[in-house]
Amino acid sequence: MLSVNVKKYIYIILFFFVSLGFWILTKLSEDYNSKLNLEIDIINTPKDYIIKGQNIKSIQVYIKASGFELFYNKLFQNKLIIDLEEEKVVDNKIVIDFEENKFKLKESLNSNIDVGDFFPNQIIIEMEQVISKYLPIVLVDELKIKSGYGLRSPIVLTPDSIQVSGPFMEISKVSYVSAFINVDTNIENDYTTDYDIVQNKNLSYEFSSGKAIIYVDRYSEKTIKIPILVRGIPDSLDLRLYPDEVDVSFQSSIKRLKNINEKDFIVSVSFDSKIKNLDKGLEVSLDSFPSSLKNLKISHKKVEFLLKNKKL
């Protein structure tokens, strides 16, 4: 059982805390002038625009409010929400004058607070228009294809183009979108895998990956003799080449190799009577060949010639 002295001390302590509570409630009920430092948080950016920059990131607001309101705002209200949904963009800017929009500021804080001055009293938000365009997707890495094999046809990308959105200045610099295929094994058969878009952090992309179909065949090498065509020779002259044909070697899929012959190639030299150093020979040009061939090589880059006047 508690002694009289212990009970006395308990009553004194209780009385002290009750008195302190009433005193705090009284003080918090009174109005005070204070200053809030608020970080600016912008929401609902207008459609087809992004924020390029703003002149201020925070604002000082001078307010008058009860102690309760001040305590709440100091503890929980550290941001000023600025809604741009109904704001108009003029000359790629949105200008908000806090003095003219004091009621919005009051709503953002608390309707029971009296809002006084601001510093600074205006925010200027620089906007940049967002545009979109479709761009082709281009693979930028080399595939690991087993030795003796090669692509039967160009790699099929699905989809092969993508819609990209971003600031006009950024979009105008881009003519294609890069992608890569991450395949560890050497490919020797037809293969389907994913490709991944290489993204620019300043742009937004319709999707981030797609499908790539790779057609592979066994390759072999073949050499064909091709006669050299002479271009630009006058009718009055006779031009003989030494040699008058060249060897063209190339690689192709075994399935196509047997159907390739000399008619699929055009090799030529061009004669110009104004050329002074005719003793150096004529340059050989490979003008036409099947696009599916790889590693084309020609046996002669230049050929010698003998020039004569034709007999009348």
Side-chain angles (χ1 to χ4, degrees), residues 187-223:
I187 301 172
E188 58 179 301
N189 297 304
D190 291 349
Y191 193 84
T192 300
T193 186
D194 293 331
Y195 69 80
D196 295 310
I197 297 296
V198 179
Q199 299 193 19
N200 181 331
K201 65 180 181 179
N202 297 322
L203 304 176
S204 59
Y205 298 81
E206 184 181 7
F207 51 85
S208 60
S209 63
K211 292 292 181 183
I213 304 175
I214 305 164
Y215 298 102
V216 176
D217 270 340
R218 183 183 289 275
Y219 266 55
S220 186
E221 188 169 354
K222 186 175 183 179
T223 300

Side-chain angles (χ1 to χ4, degrees), residues 55-251:
N55 65 326
I56 57 173
K57 297 291 185 179
S58 62
I59 182 175
Q60 292 181 352
V61 183
Y62 295 87
I63 63 172
K64 183 178 181 180
S66 68
F68 290 107
E69 298 290 349
L70 287 177
F71 178 78
Y72 173 82
N73 281 279
K74 291 280 188 180
L75 194 60
F76 302 106
Q77 188 69 42
N78 57 359
K79 288 187 177 182
L80 173 61
I81 308 298
I82 296 181
D83 192 339
L84 301 183
E85 186 174 12
E86 298 180 358
E87 301 293 337
K88 292 184 179 181
V89 180
V90 179
D91 296 331
N92 289 326
K93 292 180 181 179
I94 293 178
V95 179
I96 298 176
D97 191 302
F98 294 123
E99 191 67 38
E100 295 177 359
N101 293 272
K102 187 178 289 188
F103 68 96
K104 289 186 178 180
L105 183 59
K106 189 173 181 179
E107 287 179 357
S108 179
L109 295 173
N110 193 302
S111 58
N112 296 322
I113 291 178
D114 290 332
V115 178
D117 294 331
F118 318 90
F119 182 79
N121 61 2
Q122 188 181 75
I123 181 172
I124 301 173
I125 306 170
E126 295 182 19
M127 311 298 294
E128 190 166 8
Q129 191 168 11
V130 173
I131 63 170
S132 300
K133 69 177 180 180
Y134 279 92
L135 296 173
I137 299 172
V138 177
L139 292 177
V140 293
D141 59 339
E142 292 187 4
L143 291 175
K144 295 179 180 179
I145 297 178
K146 188 175 180 179
S147 178
Y149 289 78
L151 293 176
R152 182 166 74 246
S153 60
I155 298 173
V156 178
L157 301 181
T158 306
D160 60 1
S161 61
I162 184 172
Q163 186 179 38
V164 183
S165 303
F168 173 78
M169 292 302 294
E170 291 284 346
I171 288 289
S172 62
K173 299 176 185 176
V174 183
S175 58
Y176 65 91
V177 171
S178 300
F180 66 93
I181 296 174
N182 188 12
V183 179
D184 294 330
T185 58
N186 291 329
I187 301 172
E188 58 179 301
N189 297 304
D190 291 349
Y191 193 84
T192 300
T193 186
D194 293 331
Y195 69 80
D196 295 310
I197 297 296
V198 179
Q199 299 193 19
N200 181 331
K201 65 180 181 179
N202 297 322
L203 304 176
S204 59
Y205 298 81
E206 184 181 7
F207 51 85
S208 60
S209 63
K211 292 292 181 183
I213 304 175
I214 305 164
Y215 298 102
V216 176
D217 270 340
R218 183 183 289 275
Y219 266 55
S220 186
E221 188 169 354
K222 186 175 183 179
T223 300
I224 299 179
K225 287 189 178 296
I226 310 296
I228 302 173
L229 174 68
V230 178
R231 302 183 188 274
I233 186 71
D235 294 337
S236 59
L237 297 176
D238 184 22
L239 183 69
R240 294 186 180 182
L241 302 176
Y242 299 95
D244 60 358
E245 61 182 10
V246 294
D247 290 334
V248 177
S249 60
F250 53 88
Q251 290 182 338

